[in-house]
Amino acid sequence: MILGVVGGNGLEHITPKYYEKIYGVDINAEYLEAVKTRYTNLSGILECLEVDLIT
């Protein structure tokens, strides 16, 4: 799980064959859409969640 995934913080280091599921969490829906577009190699295992951890 990556909290504050923004533009992909660390996703470039993930090798998909080693993971079943990766969660990218951010408060900003636009950032999450950018991550999905940028990291298509993680489709199927990357799940982006729009969550405000404070509320």
Side-chain angles (χ1 to χ4, degrees):
M1 178 174 286
I2 299 176
L3 301 176
V5 75
V6 187
N9 290 335
L11 292 175
E12 69 274 10
H13 301 292
I14 292 177
T15 304
K17 68 180 181 179
Y18 296 121
Y19 299 93
E20 291 181 28
K21 185 64 76 175
I22 300 162
Y23 296 96
V25 180
D26 206 286
I27 194 170
N28 188 317
E30 291 177 14
Y31 289 163
L32 295 171
E33 285 304 316
V35 165
K36 289 181 206 174
T37 301
R38 188 173 298 141
Y39 294 96
T40 56
N41 64 313
L42 298 176
S43 90
I45 63 168
L46 175 61
E47 185 171 337
C48 291
L49 305 171
E50 182 182 353
V51 177
D52 181 347
L53 296 176
I54 306 246
T55 58

